[in-house]
Amino acid sequence: MENQRPFSQSFLHFPAQNPDVLAKNRAQIGLQLDIANQLLIPRENGAVVEEDFETQRLKIEYRRGLGRGFEAAVSGQILARNGGVLDQFLTTYHDLIGYGADSDDNPQGRDSRPKNRAVFRFEDPNGRGVDVGRALGFGDTTLSLKKQIARGKTASAARLALKIPTGSDSEILGSGGFDAGISFDARRELSRKWAFFGNASLLQFGSSAIPNARKNGWQGGLGLEWKVGRRDSVVAQFDAHSATVKTGNRFADDTPVVASLGWKRRVSEGRSVWASFSENGDWVNYNAAPLGNIGPDFTLSFGYEWRR
């Protein structure tokens, strides 16, 4: 569960992860599909921002236990940005649950915009910015190394990661630079059915051709897992990080935060499936930033994990 806004997704990010590591020579393959609808056209406030598109991401990750509490991983992704198909669905969805049609991320309202566009641009007060539309290609690749620190009811681990610029920064499919970071992961079992988890990360970004890209940042997440039965879990999670690109628009440059609710099922020994949806600050009307703020209007995610 990650923020799929391109300015967030193009830079190094540590998804929340179980602190436990795989045993030596054990491996896990994960597939993840994210479909995100982005609509961010705030009042100018010094800069023009227009983000009206849909993205699809297929992420593939391979993890392997190295022994002595170490685990290595590599992940790659294929990204697409286009007009999508969710605009009309989201208009109906917002009407059904009573979301305002003219919230701060789009004061003119979703109905005032043509459906299924692919517009991604900003221009700051100095005339710097981006103007791209549809795109399809490989994203950046991430290598990581994890070391378990503690096991048991209170488990923890540390991760180091390096992001390699295999995606096009001119199309905002990647940042164009090598990023590095360190993350601390923790999980506390509150009872047999409930567990609290989180992570905190420091990030260093490499040189990027994306205008006004930041050089460093932070990222963190908090979540709660409820084990419904022997096979099923419900997970609520919040993910936040510092802005990676400054557009010059005060609203668009606020802290990116998404809230997610997901379900996971162990279908057999070593195999699991999961699904989730994520919201930006719409669900709290942008009045409680820690619970939801800048990010895609709506994200659907599906995953499969196979361990051997």
Side-chain angles (χ1 to χ4, degrees):
M1 302 178 190
E2 305 165 57
N3 193 322
Q4 293 299 312
R5 186 187 181 205
F7 286 148
S8 298
Q9 191 277 329
S10 295
F11 293 80
L12 179 63
H13 188 96
F14 285 92
Q17 194 177 97
N18 191 324
D20 295 337
V21 299
L22 296 170
K24 186 176 180 179
N25 295 328
R26 295 293 301 274
Q28 178 176 299
I29 297 173
L31 299 175
Q32 179 176 333
L33 174 65
D34 303 293
I35 304 170
N37 186 280
Q38 177 78 12
L39 183 60
L40 179 63
I41 312 177
R43 293 182 178 87
E44 291 191 9
N45 290 329
V48 176
V49 173
E50 187 173 11
E51 301 179 15
D52 186 359
F53 52 81
E54 194 166 297
T55 62
Q56 300 87 31
R57 180 183 76 152
L58 177 63
K59 177 182 177 181
I60 304 173
E61 182 180 57
Y62 176 79
R63 297 164 55 186
R64 188 174 184 86
L66 303 178
R68 298 182 180 273
F70 284 94
E71 178 185 291
V74 57
S75 66
Q77 50 197 343
I78 300 173
L79 303 168
R81 185 172 59 248
N82 46 56
V85 297
L86 290 178
D87 279 355
Q88 185 56 54
F89 164 78
L90 288 174
T91 296
T92 304
Y93 165 69
H94 286 170
D95 289 344
L96 286 174
I97 62 178
Y99 280 7
D102 55 350
S103 57
D104 290 344
D105 58 349
N106 180 31
Q108 294 186 19
R110 181 177 281 272
D111 288 340
S112 69
R113 307 288 178 183
K115 297 292 189 289
N116 307 120
R117 297 196 305 162
V119 179
F120 183 18
R121 71 185 186 95
F122 82 84
E123 184 176 336
D124 70 11
N126 298 316
R128 291 168 53 82
V130 300
D131 189 353
V132 294
R134 300 174 185 271
L136 173 65
F138 290 103
D140 288 347
T141 301
T142 300
L143 308 175
S144 65
L145 180 67
K146 180 164 73 171
K147 176 66 170 75
Q148 183 146 38
I149 299 171
R151 299 174 181 268
K153 289 188 174 182
T154 302
S156 60
R159 280 183 285 168
L160 295 173
L162 174 68
K163 184 180 69 63
I164 302 170
T166 51
S168 168
D169 56 352
S170 64
E171 295 183 294
I172 321 297
L173 297 177
S175 69
F178 288 87
D179 299 344
I182 184 170
S183 181
F184 178 78
D185 306 303
R187 185 190 72 239
R188 171 64 180 176
E189 293 183 4
L190 305 176
S191 68
R192 187 171 58 87
K193 291 190 173 183
W194 293 90
F196 178 79
F197 63 90
N199 72 313
S201 311
L202 293 176
L203 310 168
Q204 184 68 39
F205 305 133
S207 177
S208 174
I210 301 175
N212 305 338
R214 306 292 89 183
K215 294 298 184 182
N216 51 58
W218 58 267
Q219 178 253 322
L222 293 173
L224 186 66
E225 180 182 10
W226 172 35
K227 295 182 179 179
V228 181
R230 291 187 305 168
R231 293 175 176 268
D232 298 285
S233 295
V234 176
V235 179
Q237 180 180 322
F238 298 95
D239 181 272
H241 63 84
S242 57
T244 56
V245 175
K246 291 292 187 179
T247 66
N249 183 285
R250 291 194 300 274
F251 182 85
D253 291 343
D254 207 356
T255 304
V257 183
V258 293
S260 305
L261 184 65
W263 161 83
K264 186 173 185 178
R265 180 175 179 82
R266 181 171 59 84
V267 294
S268 65
E269 186 65 31
R271 289 175 170 83
S272 300
V273 295
W274 59 268
S276 71
F277 74 93
S278 305
E279 283 272 6
N280 59 9
D282 272 340
W283 79 284
V284 290
N285 200 29
Y286 290 96
N287 288 323
L291 302 181
N293 206 27
I294 305 302
D297 207 4
F298 188 85
T299 304
L300 293 172
S301 298
F302 307 92
Y304 173 78
E305 294 175 350
W306 174 44
R307 182 175 297 187
R308 63 177 181 82

